[in-house]
Amino acid sequence: MVFASSFWSMGGYANFVWPSYFVVAFVLFGLLIWTLSQGKSLKKRLALLEQLKEKKI
Amino acid sequence: MAIAAPCLPWLSAATVICLAYGLYLSLIASPADYQQGETVRIMYVHVPSAWMALFVYTAMAVASLVAVIWRHPLAEIAAQASAPIGAAFTFCALVTGSLWGKPMWGTWWVWDARLTSVLILFFIYIAHMALTSAFDDPARGRRAAAILCLVGFVNVPIIKFSVEWWNTLHQPASVIKMGGPSIHADMLWPLLVMALAFKLLYLCILIVRMKNELTAARIRSLTAARARG
């Protein structure tokens, strides 16, 4: 418990240390999720277009 | 791309392992600084982000040079795919720097050479992204962005040497410098592991973004073919 509370309080600098890690995690993870979801929707559209091409619609 | 795509699962696994180990070292295993206390832990995300901000821009400049000279289409796509990643790292470096500056310097922001030149780098990334998508013909957008990237490269040495050329609150380099690093191994290790993790993450996102761009190009050509009938 002593470790846990001193870990979270960061020697009184919790308000600076944790937001730093949070911002980096949020931005980089957000970029990753955005990129992956973009890829998913692009693949879906391409598959649809190729299907249409095969059927010659 | 034929070589890069099969590497993606391995790269992703390596990124996760490096990131987990890096976070353990930065948040738990490394000591607090005798002057800065626990705020030194901000360094383990701030410095790798700042290194990546410069690294990604340099990679983009090399890709743009290859694109302009040899007209290699993948080089242009690599530069285009890198820009948002570089912007993200630059944003992280600016915000974490500000969060570190407040307790240590007593201010969130100063208009000195290092901070201002990194802010300019962030704007160049944004301009690059805007210019790439400003043309109806994506090839023209990429060409214009390549020129912008090469001109903007002048900012990279300015950022690197700003702490030596001008008076600044920002500390000078302590890792990459003549005579070896002046930082203790207990703090250097977490820094290097986090830097490696960020570099691997960049490669993973870059490969996926390049694949996305190639898919988008295929969609555009199919749509154009359909429009022609």
Side-chain angles (χ1 to χ4, degrees):
Chain A
M1 275 315 278
V2 175
F3 166 76
S5 72
S6 71
F7 176 70
W8 292 115
S9 71
M10 279 289 159
Y13 291 117
N15 290 345
F16 301 101
V17 176
W18 292 117
S20 300
Y21 279 80
F22 176 78
V23 165
V24 172
F26 182 79
V27 170
L28 296 182
F29 201 64
L31 180 67
L32 182 69
I33 299 291
W34 173 49
T35 301
L36 290 175
S37 74
Q38 200 183 31
K40 224 173 171 181
S41 72
L42 281 169
K43 264 182 211 148
K44 221 183 248 173
R45 256 176 67 196
L46 181 63
L48 192 72
L49 276 169
E50 274 173 346
Q51 226 174 20
L52 290 175
K53 196 184 165 194
E54 265 172 38
K55 289 185 190 159
K56 298 212 168 86
I57 301 172
Chain B
M1 282 314 282
I3 310 164
C7 294
L8 194 55
W10 297 102
L11 276 174
S12 315
T15 310
V16 172
I17 292 167
C18 267
L19 211 51
Y21 185 50
L23 283 173
Y24 163 73
L25 286 179
S26 340
L27 288 171
I28 298 167
S30 66
D33 187 69
Y34 81 104
Q35 275 184 328
Q36 306 202 5
E38 304 283 352
T39 58
V40 75
R41 299 191 195 283
I42 297 174
M43 175 176 74
Y44 306 124
V45 283
H46 172 72
V47 174
S49 301
W51 281 344
M52 288 310 293
L54 292 180
F55 177 83
V56 173
Y57 196 88
T58 309
M60 276 169 66
V62 172
S64 300
L65 196 67
V66 171
V68 168
I69 298 176
W70 290 288
R71 310 245 151 173
H72 196 298
L74 264 187
E76 282 180 340
I77 289 174
Q80 181 188 2
S82 291
I85 317 175
F89 279 122
T90 314
F91 180 78
C92 288
L94 286 167
V95 174
T96 56
S98 187
L99 283 163
W100 198 6
K102 183 62 184 167
M104 289 301 110
W105 297 342
T107 177
W108 299 105
W109 183 262
V110 279
W111 291 102
D112 78 349
R114 172 56 71 90
L115 281 72
T116 309
S117 55
V118 174
L119 184 65
I120 291 172
L121 180 71
F122 181 65
F123 290 148
I124 295 177
Y125 274 123
I126 302 293
H128 189 280
M129 286 155 67
L131 194 57
T132 308
S133 54
F135 293 82
D136 288 334
D137 176 9
R140 284 185 66 195
R142 290 193 197 115
R143 181 57 43 83
I147 305 292
L148 171 78
C149 182
L150 288 172
V151 174
F153 188 72
V154 71
N155 195 27
V156 170
I158 293 180
I159 294 175
K160 170 77 184 128
F161 296 109
S162 58
V163 283
E164 291 165 27
W165 292 341
W166 292 285
N167 281 325
T168 166
L169 274 182
H170 198 285
Q171 65 153 47
S174 50
V175 177
I176 304 165
K177 64 171 206 169
M178 303 279 280
S182 61
I183 171 173
H184 194 271
D186 286 349
M187 290 179 179
L188 184 61
W189 261 113
L191 192 57
L192 293 181
V193 174
M194 285 300 274
L196 181 64
F198 278 21
K199 205 154 280 180
L200 289 168
L201 182 67
Y202 163 61
L203 286 178
C204 290
I205 300 181
L206 175 68
I207 292 171
V208 179
R209 291 194 76 85
M210 285 179 72
K211 273 166 67 176
N212 287 359
E213 198 39 55
L214 291 174
T215 312
R218 178 104 183 96
I219 289 174
R220 275 194 298 271
S221 75
L222 277 178
T223 316
R226 278 176 66 80
R228 280 196 301 271

